[in-house]
Amino acid sequence: MTGTEASGDIDRNRAGVVTGRPSARDPRIGDRPPGLKGHASDFVLRLRSGELGWVPGVCAVIVIWTTFQLLDHHFLSPRNLSNLSVDIVGTGLIAVGLVFVLLLGEIDLSVGAVSGLAAAVFAVLNVNSGMPEWLAVATAALVGAGIGALQGFFFARIGVPAFVVTLAGLLVWNGLMLYVLGANGTINLHANGLVSVLTERYFHNRAVAYGLAAVGAAAYFLASYHDERRRRAARVSSRSLGEIAVRTGAVAVIGFAAAYVLNRFEGLPLALLIFLVSVVGLDFVLRRTRYGRKIFAIGGGAEAARLAGVNVVWIRVSAFAVSGTLAAFGGLFLASRVASVGQTSGSTNLLIDAIAAAVIGGVSLFGGRGTPWSALLGVLVVQSIASGMVLIGVQTSVQSMITGGVLLAAVVLDSLSRHSRKSHGVVL
Amino acid sequence: MTTTPLLALRGICKRFGALHALTRVELEINAGEVVALVGDNGAGKTTLVKVITGAGPADEGVIEWNGRPVRIARPRDAQSLGIASVYQELALCESLDVVGNLFLGHEICRAGVLDEVAMERRARELDLLDVLSVRIPRTRVPVASLSAGQRQAVAIARALLSEPKILILDEPTAALGVGQTAHFLDLIERLREHSLGVLLISHNLGDVKAVADQVAVLRLGRNNGFFDVLTTSQEQIVSSITGATDNAVTHRKTRPWEATR
Ligand SMILES: Nc1ncnc2c1ncn2[C@@H]1O[C@H](COP(=O)(O)OP(=O)(O)OP(=O)(O)O)[C@@H](O)[C@H]1O
Ligand SMILES: [Mg+2]
């Protein structure tokens, strides 16, 4: 018996109840070197144990951009990069929605078809029936949410495996889209309508792009700094100021570089702004709210979460609903990009791209790992490849094979790193 | 002693298809009392735990809390009554770190936002991670990288964190080393002093004799005797577990709460 125990004052204080021995550090744990050096050594350790995170995505972007730039010097031109930043939004939103489902350890194969259907619903209601745009957009979003919730219900409540439900969904919603579009097939959107404007508006004022970069970096710094102050005051593990400065520096460099390039073309695209705001918002929901915590919990052990009192069915249904809703919005952006909705909207390629994007960015197919930022990084990789291949004139057949290969590579990497994490004792 | 028990199970039945996993099971737990539930493998102990915690509600029977019948249909119901449990198959989420697991289901929030700092500090303050003197390297490591005993400590700490009135422990010492087991038994005694009710499931009769006040034996899904630990020999308990003394009826008469009525 040790001192703390003997002094157990008999009040209802749980601290007294559970205090065993005074805490002692495990002598086998080496001291982490202080400051940035310690951070670097931690980072290398994490990589070795298979915790790859954003590293493969960033490496892929660098390799892809260098390769295509060598093949065609237009690739890194402001025009092409600016177009790329708008092109990623549609698929990116779909991938962000998919992250919610992937975090649960499940998959939603219907997102491509749902995005096509939502776009078709919007086009038919707005263009053919003359419904006000906002109402048609809301209806399309509700269709996405409803479909997601329905599929979630079949999976979570009835117990049908998610991939079967959503595979059936893929066919059904694609068929429904063709049915809704009717005989002539393609519907052109109103030229100056709300949806068309989504991908056509740019903030020509240079201050907007730079301002966004500045606000982003400042917000990141203030949030980290505030958090560190609280951590220090509470004496729990905290980062050094140097580390915060380096991270903020990285955010600022990326932000200002992007703003510089975008301003050399037409300025900050509205679509990109919407995408960034969505990513930040949904990342917040996933990492800083109870709801998000429950999603991660289910991804790491549904039964454990259930025993802890989490309403597993409801969380699962809602995650599928989020996926469906974001697929619908993604579909609207994709339709906006080509100013029409046609029979090829919501193709299977879109699904593959969205899954590949999420996985390349660091979302695990096994659940419990990843953030919306992973989807942003991944979709940048996928869309860079697509855009580069179009630029240098690769045949569609070859494009298809390459996209498939990229997905396979990403999944292999995911499985290998999971394997490595397991052997290092860090499962998931 | 005519106090109403904190928790009482009356005539609990539970079927899995054709299998009658529990048949008219009775059990009472008082505040400040450690009740051991023993029985062979497959006797229905875990099933009974799941009935109490709402993870697998009973088909028939009544659960009384402080003398009033209550419905426990979901884990949330049991939690809000003040029943916490540590399950046999350690119920931790692999994707969360130690702090995330400790607070799962009752996270601390500030204006709707998870307050990680407060949760980490609370975990530190209560020194929960030193339950059982199991050292946990860092509070932010994923639980998947912990040893079985360390995970057990997290699971127990987690149960205590909700400040329960009844703690249910399903074979908690199975993964523990010698030192940790001794420490764990000390912990249970401290809990009793703080007038928690404890339901302890264990195959180790030594542990049972060391800390329990009452022993309830379950055999093939039925009550097979209630014993007072002080006045009963280990042989008697063993023969009741194995069925050598299948005289449930005689033992029914000596149920402690009926004897005192
Ligand atoms: N979900 C289930 N479906 C069907 N049968 C079950 C289920 N859970 C338990 N059983 C059966 O109920 C009986 C009691 O099981 P239980 O897990 O309660 O035993 P136990 O007393 O905890 O055993 P042990 O000491 O091995 O943990 C067993 O025969 C088991 O096969
Ligand atoms: Mg059991």
Side-chain angles (χ1 to χ4, degrees), chain B residues 197-229:
Chain B
V198 178
L199 181 65
L200 172 69
I201 297 176
S202 181
H203 287 296
N204 186 332
L205 291 182
D207 293 353
V208 168
K209 282 232 111 181
V211 290
D213 304 305
Q214 303 286 335
V215 179
V217 179
L218 216 53
R219 179 170 159 71
L220 301 176
R222 291 165 188 272
N223 286 121
N224 199 33
F226 296 89
F227 304 98
D228 196 81
V229 170

Side-chain angles (χ1 to χ4, degrees), chain B residues 143-208:
Chain B
V143 294
S145 64
L146 300 181
S147 80
Q150 288 170 331
R151 289 157 142 255
Q152 187 82 64
V154 174
I156 293 172
R158 206 192 109 110
L160 290 174
L161 197 64
S162 59
E163 312 213 335
K165 301 199 174 68
I166 282 196
L167 182 63
I168 300 177
L169 302 155
D170 195 352
E171 295 188 32
T173 52
L176 298 182
V178 180
Q180 280 76 21
T181 302
H183 224 85
F184 171 76
L185 298 179
D186 288 346
L187 171 71
I188 292 190
E189 298 202 314
R190 286 200 298 276
L191 293 177
R192 172 168 47 203
E193 278 165 26
H194 286 74
S195 68
L196 262 84
V198 178
L199 181 65
L200 172 69
I201 297 176
S202 181
H203 287 296
N204 186 332
L205 291 182
D207 293 353
V208 168

Side-chain angles (χ1 to χ4, degrees), chain A residues 5 17 288 290 293 296 425, chain B residues 95 107 114 116 145 190:
Chain A
E5 214 172 3
V17 176
R288 305 302 296 270
R290 284 198 168 134
R293 179 57 50 90
F296 275 96
Chain B
S95 51
E107 295 88 357
L114 292 183
E116 299 285 354
S145 64
R190 286 200 298 276

Side-chain angles (χ1 to χ4, degrees), chain B residues 95-112:
Chain B
S95 51
L96 302 181
D97 58 20
V98 171
V99 175
N101 264 290
L102 283 176
F103 288 90
L104 181 61
H106 36 88
E107 295 88 357
I108 301 178
C109 283
R110 236 178 24 149

Side-chain angles (χ1 to χ4, degrees), chain B residues 47-65:
Chain B
T47 308
L48 190 63
V49 167
K50 291 195 168 162
V51 165
I52 302 175
T53 60
D59 299 324
E60 277 170 49
V62 180
I63 301 178
E64 286 173 14
W65 183 258

Side-chain angles (χ1 to χ4, degrees), chain A residues 134-172:
Chain A
W134 66 270
L135 196 58
V137 168
T139 312
L142 277 180
V143 165
I147 288 176
L150 181 73
Q151 295 181 148
F153 174 82
F154 272 103
F155 158 63
R157 194 69 222 227
I158 314 225
V160 189
F163 95 91
V164 181
V165 176
T166 55
L167 188 61
L170 186 158
L171 277 179
V172 172

